[in-house]
Amino acid sequence: MKKSLIYILSIIFSLVLCGQIKAKVTGVCSNCHTMHNSQGGSEMAVYGPSSGVNPNPCLTLGDCVGCHAYNSGTGDNVEEIGGSLVPQVWHIGADLAAGNFRYIATGTDDNKGHNVFAIEQENNSDMFPPPGYETDPEITATNFSCAGKYGCHGDRTVTGETTSMKGAHHADDSTIDGLSTGTSYRFLKGVLGLENNGDNPWQNASLTDHNEYKGLTSPDDSASDTSPGTGGSISGFCAECHEYYHGDDLDETGASFSPWIRHPTDISLPSSGEYKNYINYSIVAPLARVTLPETPSDAVTPTGTNDDIVMCLSCHGAHATNFYKLMRWDYNGDKGGDLAQQLSGCNVCHTSKMGGVSYARSYLDSAHGTQNDAITGVSRLNLYTDGHCAHCHEQHASIGGDEPSPDSPAGPDDYLLFSDNHTSQTVNFCFDCHCGTTQTGGIFNRSYSYRAGDWSDDTPGDIFEAFKYGPPTNLTTSSSHRLDDISTFINGKWGYTANSNPCTACHNPHAAQGDPANSPNNAKSFGTRGYPVSLPSDHVDKYVWDVYGDDTGEKMRDYSSYYQAPYRSGSTSVYEPDGSTTIDGTNLTDYVTFCTDCHHYSPTPVSSRLGDTNLKDIDWSATGDYHGKKDGGGGKKAPYTDATNYVLACTDCHEPHGSPNYCYLIRKEVNGGTTDFSGNTRAAWDSLCIQCHTSKLVSYCSGDDGSALCSVCHSHGSNF
């Protein structure tokens, strides 16, 4: 009786112990092994494509695919083999956390998964060595395996697939410490993590039923081509083959701070801006943890310094997914498809780009993001729907193993852009599209004289042409805003840095709208209005940085009740900016407040064209300029004859980008008439001033014999 009791207790103890060992294989040895690969004259090692007449290493009945794709992809996502539940990597059931090799095994898209040779060989030779490699792992289409030196699982210092896994399935993995293959997360040697053993093991099923991945607050310098590093992060593991996509060297991700040159990994989700709104765990775009929880958690607390880590698996699956490049969502979808759906995973972290929460508008409302159904957004690559982020941003500076064009200079660029952000007056990222070449179909961005004044003799057809006016291409007969001067001025102000593109001093690329919308090669009309500018000082919080001019308080009418719209070209009945009969500025952005953000800042911007001197202060207050709120007289022409104190908008006289006129960005069309400002002469000034004032102002200019320059006495900052 005593012996029987001891026997029963030993069985109970064994069962309890086995219950604590979560992934250790149980059952008789012959469930997995064969001594001679022969039973009754028949081969026993028959699981998988490499099994059969020749016995397998470690005396196993099958190879990796033989057990984990047990029914050649026709079974469920978990199969019972010899009394053990075995997760399947190729199956017809719901995808497991790592994905499903079915998408490459039964389809025609090699680019949906890691193409292990036993399931589906990769046909693109550009994928070997692996994109982003620093040290060639010697993986080829014919040796890329599940485990070992040429695979992912097991000991990557061991060449044999099965040999590299030796003993792992027998290990007690109740503690994942990464010290051996068997005690590493999912048998990825050295990797830490919490394996989901809940109601849906091996799956990321819900916010509280998922794997937990190990992350770090900065890439691990101790990582190598065979080790994820001492930190054991999942992204460090991916870097064993894709090193340049994960690191803190300048040639990898751009160090450990913005501007990134590749999408960062092993970086803490920031606690500010759009990222602070990722507060509920997402299985579409999951995060890693510095401190792994004891059970799967749905909590996310962005700190910028600890936990909730961006990782490779935030965007990608591990084995294969039903989406391009192993993405977790339909990132590139069908050309012309639902852009909001294609960016849905991006917006889990980049919450401001789809509006809502505490943000004013969606990226989809912008000119780059399609603005509305009547116009296409930015379009550079045939792979993506118009307006897609990938037309401007390259996550890894590589598609299909090569950097897409333009790729000069080769390699990744700041802010993940496809070319240099800003170099000079004629070399700027924005010009790659706003010059009519890189953008599919070309882009027209007419002058303000054309768009608002309907001046049909306009010559510049795009932004690049406008900024070529003046130095260095033309020193005397034209003018433009100097981009380097803008960069110098905004650096350190309102959240701008030395790396900021000077175009973003006036435009938010994720919010700016076409004006006219949908009709870039036409003048504005009442039904085609858009709002292209954003107030520079509002850039302090760039994630809520909205367009300026569309809301109450942002119109010229709000700035002054004495605003009078000028005539359109050749007309005395319709007015700028949209050819309507509206005259009070309720349809015009308050360009005074907008422009004086910089031009009334102390100290004012420095002009390199004017000998590195500070520009004159533009003071539109009642004690400032006469063209502003200061009360003044003088002979005026229609439509300015009914009052003595009209207030002008900056754009009534000036082009915002560049002008074929000599200095000061003077428009070619002002108040319905044409200016001829080819040099600093009295005739040139008269061609401008006479558009609003009576003939040459002789009766108001004491001692003027008709040759003095108007600007000698009348200029911004003068008291006359």
Side-chain angles (χ1 to χ4, degrees):
M1 180 66 182
K2 183 177 180 180
K3 290 183 179 180
S4 299
L5 179 61
I6 294 173
Y7 179 69
I8 293 171
L9 290 175
S10 67
I11 292 175
I12 294 173
F13 178 75
S14 299
L15 290 173
V16 171
L17 185 62
C18 288
Q20 294 174 336
I21 301 172
K22 294 172 289 186
K24 182 178 179 180
V25 173
T26 60
V28 297
C29 301
S30 59
N31 284 341
C32 298
H33 297 279
T34 175
M35 297 298 100
H36 305 290
N37 191 28
S38 176
Q39 185 71 35
S42 299
E43 295 81 15
M44 299 298 294
V46 295
Y47 298 164
S50 64
S51 300
V53 176
N54 296 318
N56 291 317
C58 303
L59 309 180
T60 60
L61 294 175
D63 55 16
C64 296
V65 171
C67 290
H68 292 279
Y70 184 57
N71 289 312
S72 299
T74 62
D76 203 352
N77 55 11
V78 177
E79 292 283 345
E80 183 176 344
I81 304 176
S84 294
L85 295 178
V86 180
Q88 299 295 288
V89 298
W90 176 15
H91 55 83
I92 60 174
D95 292 352
L96 300 182
N100 191 342
F101 280 121
R102 172 169 59 93
Y103 300 115
I104 61 171
T106 59
T108 58
D109 293 331
D110 284 354
N111 57 33
K112 289 184 175 181
H114 279 109
N115 297 92
V116 292
F117 76 90
I119 293 179
E120 178 67 20
Q121 287 189 20
E122 172 63 65
N123 295 319
N124 183 1
S125 60
D126 290 336
M127 301 305 289
F128 303 102
Y133 79 95
E134 185 173 9
T135 303
D136 185 356
E138 301 178 9
I139 294 175
T140 67
T142 56
N143 70 14
F144 188 15
S145 56
C146 298
K149 180 178 180 180
Y150 306 119
C152 295
H153 300 276
D155 187 339
R156 295 200 66 237
T157 65
V158 176
T159 300
E161 181 180 63
T162 304
T163 307
S164 72
M165 293 289 297
K166 187 174 182 179
H169 288 90
H170 298 281
D172 177 355
D173 66 345
S174 56
T175 298
I176 300 296
D177 56 19
L179 298 180
S180 67
T181 299
T183 58
S184 296
Y185 176 80
R186 303 302 185 201
F187 298 155
L188 304 170
K189 188 175 181 181
V191 177
L192 304 177
L194 175 68
E195 299 177 348
N196 181 17
N197 290 285
D199 294 337
N200 298 279
W202 300 293
Q203 294 187 54
N204 287 341
S206 71
L207 302 187
T208 56
D209 189 4
H210 56 80
N211 294 321
E212 289 281 2
Y213 304 96
K214 175 65 177 178
L216 302 173
T217 56
S218 63
D220 194 340
D221 282 339
S222 65
S224 70
D225 58 335
T226 59
S227 168
T230 56
S233 78
I234 192 68
S235 294
F237 172 76
C238 298
E240 292 183 25
C241 289
H242 307 285
E243 292 103 320
Y244 276 125
Y245 296 168
H246 176 85
D248 59 0
D249 292 338
L250 289 176
D251 58 350
E252 292 174 334
T253 55
S256 56
F257 49 83
S258 181
W260 306 105
I261 60 175
R262 290 186 172 98
H263 198 293
T265 54
D266 268 351
I267 191 76
S268 180
L269 195 69
S271 60
S272 60
E274 60 184 345
Y275 310 103
K276 66 184 179 184
N277 293 308
Y278 186 161
I279 56 176
N280 293 311
Y281 195 88
S282 168
I283 58 175
V284 174
L287 296 171
R289 319 279 193 173
V290 174
T291 303
L292 291 165
E294 293 183 1
T295 58
S297 173
D298 63 349
V300 175
T301 307
T303 65
T305 58
N306 194 15
D307 265 330
D308 301 317
I309 305 299
V310 180
M311 60 174 173
C312 300
L313 296 188
S314 295
C315 300
H316 298 282
H319 292 155
T321 71
N322 195 28
F323 307 121
Y324 179 72
K325 298 302 180 186
L326 290 80
M327 295 296 290
R328 288 185 172 272
W329 63 92
D330 197 7
Y331 181 67
N332 80 324
D334 295 326
K335 180 76 171 177
D338 185 345
L339 182 59
Q341 177 62 36
Q342 292 170 19
L343 302 182
S344 59
C346 304
N347 299 323
V348 172
C349 294
H350 299 280
T351 60
S352 72
K353 302 305 185 290
M354 287 297 112
V357 194
S358 57
Y359 305 110
R361 72 184 61 246
S362 164
Y363 165 69
L364 299 184
D365 294 329
S366 73
H368 290 144
T370 67
Q371 195 157 347
N372 57 49
D373 293 338
I375 186 172
T376 60
V378 60
S379 179
R380 177 177 66 99
L381 302 171
N382 290 329
L383 286 169
Y384 301 101
T385 293
D386 293 348
H388 200 289
C389 305
H391 291 299
C392 291
H393 299 284
E394 298 175 336
Q395 308 312 312
H396 302 299
S398 174
I399 296 179
D402 291 317
E403 183 180 3
S405 178
D407 57 355
S408 180
D413 298 288
D414 287 354
Y415 303 107
L416 287 70
L417 299 172
F418 63 74
S419 67
D420 284 349
N421 191 24
H422 173 71
T423 302
S424 68
Q425 186 72 7
T426 55
V427 181
N428 182 286
F429 173 76
C430 300
F431 297 157
D432 284 327
C433 289
H434 291 274
C435 65
T437 56
T438 303
Q439 165 78 9
T440 303
I443 296 179
F444 289 98
N445 294 113
R446 296 293 191 179
S447 67
Y448 193 82
S449 293
Y450 181 98
R451 292 181 294 114
D454 198 21
W455 182 61
S456 59
D457 292 333
D458 173 60
T459 51
D462 56 61
I463 301 297
F464 180 56
E465 290 182 56
F467 277 104
K468 286 196 298 184
Y469 286 132
T473 56
N474 195 317
L475 298 178
T476 59
T477 61
S478 60
S479 55
S480 61
H481 264 117
R482 315 313 302 148
L483 294 175
D484 284 346
D485 292 347
I486 294 173
S487 290
T488 300
F489 177 74
I490 63 175
N491 183 21
K493 298 180 182 71
W494 308 315
Y496 293 102
T497 71
N499 298 301
S500 298
N501 190 308
C503 297
T504 65
C506 297
H507 305 285
N508 178 347
H510 299 118
Q513 298 178 340
D515 187 23
N518 315 329
S519 304
N521 201 23
N522 292 292
K524 302 178 187 182
S525 66
F526 178 76
T528 61
R529 298 306 308 282
Y531 298 90
V533 299
S534 295
L535 198 66
S537 57
D538 283 348
H539 184 268
V540 171
D541 189 346
K542 61 185 177 181
Y543 299 110
V544 297
W545 190 37
D546 197 11
V547 294
Y548 182 74
D550 63 330
D551 289 334
T552 301
E554 299 176 354
K555 309 287 188 181
M556 277 306 300
R557 174 66 177 180
D558 300 311
Y559 182 80
S560 172
S561 60
Y562 289 102
Y563 179 76
Q564 164 67 55
Y567 290 132
R568 268 198 160 182
S569 178
S571 176
T572 58
S573 60
V574 295
Y575 302 85
E576 295 188 2
D578 56 14
S580 69
T581 57
T582 301
I583 63 173
D584 63 357
T586 54
N587 59 347
L588 180 66
T589 296
D590 174 8
Y591 281 113
V592 174
T593 298
F594 174 76
C595 295
T596 55
D597 233 16
C598 296
H599 287 276
H600 190 47
Y601 189 93
S602 181
T604 58
V606 172
S607 170
S608 58
R609 183 172 185 183
L610 300 180
D612 293 328
T613 60
N614 289 91
L615 294 173
K616 290 185 176 182
D617 178 45
I618 309 297
D619 182 1
W620 235 234
S621 71
T623 58
D625 286 14
Y626 283 113
H627 285 132
K629 293 182 177 180
K630 186 173 183 178
D631 192 9
K636 303 182 186 70
K637 290 182 176 180
Y640 300 105
T641 56
D642 296 329
T644 60
N645 195 34
Y646 282 121
V647 175
L648 300 186
C650 304
T651 51
D652 290 347
C653 295
H654 298 281
E655 287 287 345
H657 296 136
S659 170
N661 273 333
Y662 173 80
C663 273
Y664 316 120
L665 288 82
I666 302 298
R667 287 175 50 177
K668 288 293 291 183
E669 181 275 333
V670 173
N671 194 28
T674 304
T675 65
D676 184 10
F677 219 93
S678 57
N680 195 25
T681 65
R682 174 57 185 264
W685 282 103
D686 279 346
S687 75
L688 169 64
C689 300
I690 204 173
Q691 303 306 326
C692 299
H693 295 280
T694 53
S695 181
K696 297 187 179 180
L697 300 177
V698 172
S699 60
Y700 298 96
C701 299
S702 177
D704 180 18
D705 61 1
S707 62
L709 299 180
C710 302
S711 59
V712 172
C713 298
H714 308 284
S715 61
H716 293 307
S718 68
N719 194 32
F720 183 73

